[in-house]
Amino acid sequence: MGVLPVLSAILLASTTHAEFTFVRRTSLAPRSQDVALPAAEFTVPFTGKASVRKSKKGALAALRGGASNAVVVDGTDFDEEYITNVTVGGQHFALIVDTGSSDTWVPQIGFNCFDLDHNPVSPDTCAFGTPGFNIQASKTFKPFPNVSFNITYGDGEFLSGPVGFDTISVGGLSVTGQEFGVPTLAAWEGDTVNTGLIGLAFPELTSVYNTTDPTKASGANQLPYDPFFFTAVKEKKLKNSIFSVSLDRGTLEQQENDIFDANLGFLAFGGIVPVPVTDTSVTVPIEGYSATTGIPSSALGSTFFFYTVDVESFTFPGSNKLSTAQNNTILDTGTTLNFVPTDVAAAYNAAFKPPAVNDPDVGGFIVPCNATVPEFLVRIGGKEFSVDGRDQLLPIGTDANGVLTCITGTQDGGPAVADNIFILGDVFLHNVVATFNPIAEQVTLTQRQKY
Ligand SMILES: *[C@@H]1O[C@H](CO)[C@@H](O)[C@H](O)[C@H]1NC(C)=O
Ligand SMILES: *[C@@H]1O[C@H](CO)[C@@H](O)[C@H](O)[C@H]1NC(C)=O
Ligand SMILES: *[C@@H]1O[C@H](CO)[C@@H](O)[C@H](O)[C@H]1NC(C)=O
Ligand SMILES: *[C@@H]1O[C@H](CO)[C@@H](O)[C@H](O)[C@H]1NC(C)=O
Ligand SMILES: *[C@@H]1O[C@H](CO)[C@@H](O)[C@H](O)[C@H]1NC(C)=O
Ligand SMILES: *[C@@H]1O[C@H](CO)[C@@H](O)[C@H](O)[C@H]1NC(C)=O
């Protein structure tokens, strides 16, 4: 999940607090570097769920049209999330693991649920996996008075409410005094499994503000803080300041039928995840952003928000007619699909056989699920990473003629203007081990063996 809307506000405010600010202070990593990555100290399996969210049901209804004999294929991974078990103040929750945002939050028991249009709805509608965090039941919770949490994700979900500190543990890695949000207001399209999210991006992207009224949140009163991984590093809980993820694709059968699938990959702290890889590997610098222009910058003093990398090219049949380089592309475990510049998405989707068509009712390119998928290579740091064709077809239902229809894995992320952020989501990440070193401001990508 990218937290896209806040970026310009934060950049424009430039009232960042030196002790928290994560700016470029090291020189760039070589464009292409072999790094021997250590085995992980803490590893947890991912579980994924695949359920049909409300937002998708609209799309499915559109696809079905008026036909009465059409069946919906439930449980696709169109909006699959990767979740892991997290303990907060001794209470257990399944949280979405998100490299595209920085806050960790769990709704408070008794929260008010809203739809994305700000209308109050029943708490069940938010579809969290538990009733929420019970502040009174935690012996270690400390409130952070007079501040508030306020976040809006790129998909329109939003939350707000108080902030506190507590002990948070993931896979045996435990940090104390972790700042996190305990929202009392939630507009969330849940899956009945997750009860919140753990954000793994940079401190400057956090969403706590120096105001008791969350509607007064702005770049000027932002109080950036250390997200979970940064706290673990500061508390010296890790020998190596890295974390690593492998996200497995579910089988088509799982994607179609299962609400919840155990063991869909790994999240590792302090080392690399234990999955078979090839020798295609590269370490590249994370791009910061210029505070004056808001576009990726490698200048000293640039500010880090996301795991932004410089994509040198996307290669697919027909791509030679396009300039496909894009240096404002984030690696985001919390987004299912890839979002690339408009011309790239149009040309790639046209290369499916039959060509994928942009369906305004679905809000994306769709094809029959038996379509032939064109090759798709992403060049980063001089190495080509290939995306398996199975990741480019995500079943969303049967159309009025009974044809099993898929949304394609690589969609239109808007025009290729410098300040537009593009996303390599789970569709790309299924094919690599991604190892993040935000302290050294580097990411290592390693192509996985075919699975
Ligand atoms: C996560 O917690 C749930 C419920 O407590 C448990 O059933 C499940 O096995 C746990 N999963 C992992 C990967 O530890
Ligand atoms: C919070 O605000 C109240 C009223 O504005 C004030 O009395 C109190 O001292 C503040 N607390 C802290 C910890 O700043
Ligand atoms: C919040 O702002 C007030 C002034 O309005 C200031 O006194 C206080 O130190 C700020 N709190 C934090 C945590 O920075
Ligand atoms: C979050 O803050 C913005 C202003 O930056 C405000 O418009 C919005 O209503 C706030 N959201 C919530 C849920 O309080
Ligand atoms: C990224 O690309 C923009 C042009 O779109 C350019 O102005 C900027 O300098 C580039 N940033 C880096 C770090 O290469
Ligand atoms: C895909 O399925 C349709 C029927 O739904 C069939 O007419 C078509 O020949 C199939 N295409 C391929 C490439 O198998």
Side-chain angles (χ1 to χ4, degrees):
M1 306 219 168
V3 196
L4 307 185
V6 297
L7 197 54
S8 53
I10 291 171
L11 281 165
L12 291 173
S14 70
T15 54
T16 47
H17 303 245
E19 83 182 284
F20 294 106
T21 305
F22 226 79
V23 297
R24 185 175 291 288
R25 50 178 171 62
T26 57
S27 58
L28 288 183
R31 290 243 66 91
S32 174
Q33 183 185 327
D34 282 331
V35 175
L37 296 167
E41 296 168 72
F42 304 93
T43 304
V44 278
F46 274 119
T47 46
K49 65 85 199 168
S51 67
V52 180
R53 287 190 182 181
K54 289 190 301 293
S55 56
K56 194 169 124 196
K57 288 192 178 126
L60 289 172
L63 260 183
R64 283 199 302 275
S68 57
N69 61 344
V71 286
V72 176
V73 179
D74 275 333
T76 79
D77 73 351
F78 171 43
D79 46 12
E80 182 175 286
E81 308 287 2
Y82 287 86
I83 59 184
T84 197
N85 284 350
V86 177
T87 307
V88 181
Q91 300 167 40
H92 302 286
F93 303 101
L95 300 189
I96 293 172
V97 175
D98 189 14
T99 61
S101 69
S102 299
D103 296 279
T104 295
W105 58 265
V106 182
Q108 274 188 59
I109 281 180
F111 68 89
N112 295 303
C113 179
F114 289 79
D115 65 21
L116 299 192
D117 299 322
H118 302 258
N119 304 307
V121 291
S122 93
D124 290 352
T125 312
C126 281
F128 288 113
T130 72
F133 183 64
N134 183 342
I135 288 181
Q136 280 71 39
S138 171
K139 294 187 174 64
T140 40
F141 181 84
K142 301 238 169 12
F144 187 174
N146 297 356
V147 306
S148 51
F149 174 63
N150 170 333
I151 195 164
T152 302
Y153 294 99
D155 60 6
E157 292 171 307
F158 58 91
L159 304 106
S160 70
V163 180
F165 304 89
D166 212 331
T167 300
I168 296 188
S169 310
V170 186
L173 172 61
S174 189
V175 309
T176 56
Q178 176 60 49
E179 190 170 333
F180 72 117
V182 281
T184 47
L185 183 161
W188 191 246
E189 302 197 311
D191 52 33
T192 71
V193 180
N194 80 72
T195 310
L197 180 148
I198 178 167
L200 294 168
F202 285 86
E204 286 300 323
L205 197 58
T206 56
S207 310
V208 170
Y209 301 90
N210 189 356
T211 168
T212 48
D213 177 357
T215 66
K216 301 254 159 41
S218 75
N221 59 15
Q222 185 202 11
L223 297 173
Y225 66 93
D226 284 332
F228 174 79
F229 177 76
F230 290 78
T231 307
V233 171
K234 281 206 180 150
E235 291 187 354
K236 300 197 166 32
K237 296 284 168 62
L238 297 170
K239 284 200 196 71
N240 305 289
S241 62
I242 62 180
F243 68 93
S244 182
V245 295
S246 60
L247 306 180
D248 295 354
R249 80 179 67 86
T251 64
L252 201 61
E253 170 124 83
Q254 287 173 326
Q255 292 174 29
E256 289 182 0
N257 300 309
D258 299 355
I259 293 289
F260 180 87
D261 292 311
N263 301 320
L264 266 194
F266 295 102
L267 167 65
F269 293 100
I272 191 167
V273 291
V275 301
V277 294
T278 69
D279 55 13
T280 299
S281 184
V282 72
T283 297
V284 293
I286 301 164
E287 307 281 2
Y289 288 82
S290 159
T292 48
T293 64
I295 66 174
S297 166
S298 48
L300 293 174
S302 53
T303 307
F304 290 88
F305 297 102
F306 297 104
Y307 294 103
T308 308
V309 295
D310 187 352
V311 172
E312 293 162 348
S313 63
F314 295 106
T315 303
F316 51 85
S319 62
N320 58 349
K321 299 187 198 89
L322 301 169
S323 166
T324 64
Q326 184 42 249
N327 71 6
N328 198 356
T329 303
I330 68 172
L331 301 170
D332 185 0
T333 60
T335 294
T336 304
L337 306 176
N338 296 329
F339 290 93
V340 300
T342 302
D343 57 343
V344 176
Y348 177 65
N349 280 287
F352 281 69
K353 290 194 174 77
V357 294
N358 200 344
D359 183 317
D361 294 327
V362 175
F365 288 94
I366 60 170
V367 280
C369 293
N370 66 356
T372 305
V373 178
E375 178 183 49
F376 191 71
L377 302 172
V378 183
R379 187 180 183 87
I380 297 173
K383 298 278 170 76
E384 303 264 26
F385 296 92
S386 66
V387 175
D388 195 295
R390 289 171 290 172
D391 294 314
Q392 299 282 10
L393 290 172
L394 297 90
I396 56 168
T398 49
D399 71 9
N401 302 318
V403 175
L404 184 60
T405 300
C406 279
I407 192 160
T408 69
T410 298
Q411 296 283 336
D412 183 356
V417 293
D419 61 354
N420 202 357
I421 296 172
F422 299 96
I423 299 176
L424 289 173
D426 302 338
V427 165
F428 173 76
L429 294 170
H430 287 158
N431 300 279
V432 297
V433 168
T435 305
F436 301 86
N437 187 338
I439 309 302
E441 299 152 359
Q442 297 178 346
V443 171
T444 300
L445 295 173
T446 307
Q447 181 92 44
R448 291 177 63 172
Q449 286 180 16
K450 251 197 166 348
Y451 66 95

